[in-house]
Amino acid sequence: AQKVTQAQTEISVVEKEDVTLDCVYETRDTTYYLFWYKQPPSGELVFLIRRNSFDEQNEISGRYSWNFQKSTSSFNFTITASQVVDSAVYFCALSEANNDMRFGAGTRLTVKP
Amino acid sequence: DTGVSQNPRHKITKRGQNVTFRCDPISEHNRLYWYRQTLGQGPEFLTYFQNEAQLEKSRLLSDRFSAERPKGSFSTLEIQRTEQGDSAMYLCASSPGVGLINTQYFGPGTRLTVL
């Protein structure tokens, strides 16, 4: 069965600090996809990134970077030089071949000015 | 290019009443998904459609819940005889293509409050 764990319920940082959001997953499939979504106070889930299980290359997009490690079943998300606008709930999600998506419980990030 | 839209955005109803929500996916997206999100939790999968065919249903989808996607375009989610435990945000997502996994794009959700 698939499972996603986001151990950090809430994180609070001061603007310009770097912050890493952890995600650990469980799956029996060899083919799967990992996602990160952002849910700002407005409520709409915003897609950030998708990674498939065969591509462990880390990715950087502006201030965002993702570290995918199959050996530890982790897919961590780092925000560099955080900004107040980064405040949101961030969800990690896993999808196996059956297409439905299993979300973690989310990490609420608060960036203080 | 518009995103996924959902109506209404908020719904307050009394226990025992029926409610219906609508989701309009991104145009040309073949797949449409429904999720439920309660406070402090991540979204939970309810069901999904490939065009007009409902291909998968979660055990969370009790017999009081029904979803349709006539003509493979918009979808409706109906809850009959609502209960207070149905209070949640109902999210719709759509994704393009067939075969391979595709990224799901979410709408703003419908927040249901059952009094």
Side-chain angles (χ1 to χ4, degrees):
Chain A
Q2 55 185 11
K3 183 179 177 182
V4 177
T5 302
Q6 294 181 255
Q8 304 150 309
T9 306
E10 295 189 32
I11 299 176
S12 181
V13 299
V14 176
E15 206 169 20
K16 297 185 183 177
E17 284 186 21
D18 298 347
V19 58
T20 296
L21 310 181
D22 297 334
C23 173
V24 174
Y25 63 92
E26 292 178 30
T27 178
R28 295 175 186 167
D29 282 12
T30 56
T31 301
Y32 53 89
Y33 294 79
L34 295 164
F35 301 80
W36 276 95
Y37 283 86
K38 174 182 180 180
Q39 189 172 42
S42 60
E44 187 163 344
L45 280 161
V46 177
F47 166 73
L48 296 178
I49 190 171
R50 182 185 82 190
R51 261 287 175 264
N52 72 55
S53 52
F54 300 109
D55 182 4
E56 284 193 76
Q57 194 170 27
N58 293 328
E59 183 158 336
I60 298 174
S61 176
R63 297 184 296 106
Y64 295 170
S65 62
W66 291 269
N67 184 346
F68 176 26
Q69 291 194 339
K70 287 178 74 171
S71 60
T72 56
S73 297
S74 65
F75 186 43
N76 296 337
F77 173 30
T78 298
I79 301 175
T80 303
S82 59
Q83 300 176 0
V84 172
V85 292
D86 295 328
S87 296
V89 180
Y90 290 85
F91 291 98
C92 180
L94 166 69
S95 186
E96 296 169 340
N98 62 354
N99 294 323
D100 71 86
M101 198 178 293
R102 181 68 57 92
F103 284 81
T107 297
R108 179 177 298 279
L109 173 65
T110 302
V111 182
K112 299 178 181 177
Chain B
D1 181 28
T2 58
V4 178
S5 62
Q6 292 185 248
N7 288 289
R9 293 293 307 276
H10 303 273
K11 179 70 176 179
I12 300 174
T13 190
K14 292 182 179 179
R15 189 176 55 183
Q17 297 295 305
N18 299 344
V19 294
T20 300
F21 311 139
R22 176 177 169 132
C23 171
D24 287 89
I26 294 171
S27 60
E28 299 181 357
H29 275 193
N30 294 322
R31 293 180 177 172
L32 187 148
Y33 306 79
W34 285 100
Y35 290 82
R36 182 178 71 184
Q37 185 179 20
T38 53
L39 200 62
Q41 299 297 317
E44 297 172 293
F45 170 78
L46 292 178
T47 188
Y48 99 92
F49 293 83
Q50 172 80 36
N51 298 311
E52 66 275 10
Q54 189 172 16
L55 296 186
E56 191 173 342
K57 287 194 269 189
S58 161
R59 57 181 170 77
L60 295 175
L61 210 68
S62 76
D63 56 5
R64 297 184 297 105
F65 288 69
S66 63
E68 294 182 342
R69 193 184 181 196
K71 303 179 184 177
S73 55
F74 70 92
S75 176
T76 58
L77 177 68
E78 181 183 15
I79 309 174
Q80 296 182 326
R81 305 180 304 281
T82 53
E83 301 172 356
Q84 288 185 326
D86 296 331
S87 295
M89 176 77 86
Y90 289 84
L91 296 167
C92 176
S94 69
S95 70
V98 295
L100 297 177
I101 295 281
N102 282 281
T103 299
Q104 296 179 26
Y105 297 90
F106 284 80
T110 295
R111 183 170 295 284
L112 173 66
T113 301
V114 182
L115 302 176

